[in-house]
Amino acid sequence: NSDLTPFLLKKRSVILARFLKHFSSDVGIGVDEAYLAGLLFNYGYVCFELMYDSLGSDALEFENNRSHYDMCTSELLAEFGFHKVVTEVIEDANKDFYQTRFPFVQALLRIANETLVNTEQTNGIIGRGETPDRLLLDATGLRARKIFSVLKDISRNYSV
């Protein structure tokens, strides 16, 4: 994603971290694990960028190999001692939804991430004209308005 600048990645990561932390009790994981899982949710892309810097065109293309980069990221984080919940959420970030270990967490993060991407690309307003993926929304058991409200509030109050 050539439009993903370091600033946008940092902003999106912090927003996702705060967003998932907000729902930590609902998803049944600790606030620290929720924050880290949200913060590192897109870290597979960073892994790709680092690989590309080292190998150039020999690096595996990102779009068709997202799960590979998520797995590499997850393994690296596990080696550094990150909690298993965090590494599993990162590893499952681009897996088929039905194969994920934390479907509620994945659904929330995927809805929020996609909403942020769309908002960044269109300069739109969160929740306006957007409809989250029905499968993901149903998996959360929440209303889209609730998810968008929390995401909008966190985005509005963003500061690093």
Side-chain angles (χ1 to χ4, degrees):
N1 183 351
S2 60
D3 296 333
L4 189 54
T5 65
F7 173 78
L8 281 179
L9 181 62
K10 181 178 176 183
K11 178 179 178 181
R12 190 184 310 163
S13 296
V14 170
I15 291 170
L16 289 175
R18 293 174 182 171
F19 175 78
L20 191 58
K21 181 180 174 183
H22 175 88
F23 289 103
S24 64
S25 62
D26 297 320
V27 299
I29 61 176
V31 292
D32 292 340
E33 288 79 19
Y35 189 88
L36 289 170
L39 188 69
L40 300 170
F41 187 71
N42 288 308
Y43 208 71
Y45 181 76
V46 175
C47 188
F48 160 72
E49 287 288 339
L50 294 171
M51 186 76 77
Y52 188 82
D53 286 347
S54 295
L55 301 177
S57 61
D58 290 336
L60 294 175
E61 192 253 348
F62 179 70
E63 287 302 319
N64 295 324
N65 296 286
R66 288 176 178 234
S67 290
H68 169 75
Y69 288 108
D70 292 336
M71 185 185 66
C72 292
T73 301
S74 174
E75 289 174 2
L76 181 62
L77 293 172
E79 285 182 31
F80 284 131
F82 279 78
H83 194 280
K84 188 174 181 176
V85 169
V86 175
T87 61
E88 289 178 352
V89 168
I90 303 311
E91 186 176 341
D92 292 352
N94 287 290
K95 283 186 178 176
D96 182 273
F97 180 71
Y98 291 109
Q99 296 176 356
T100 64
R101 289 166 273 201
F102 297 94
F104 191 0
V105 172
Q106 288 295 330
L108 284 171
L109 285 171
R110 291 176 187 196
I111 290 169
N113 192 56
E114 189 63 32
T115 300
L116 292 172
V117 168
N118 290 341
T119 302
E120 292 161 4
Q121 291 175 345
T122 64
N123 291 321
I125 298 172
I126 291 174
R128 292 273 171 103
E130 295 182 53
T131 307
D133 180 289
R134 179 75 35 250
L135 168 76
L136 298 177
L137 189 58
D138 289 347
T140 68
L142 300 171
R143 302 181 87 201
R145 185 170 26 179
K146 168 69 173 167
I147 293 171
F148 288 149
S149 174
V150 171
L151 190 57
K152 189 184 293 186
D153 188 49
I154 289 169
S155 297
R156 185 180 307 121
N157 296 320
Y158 170 79
S159 64
V160 178

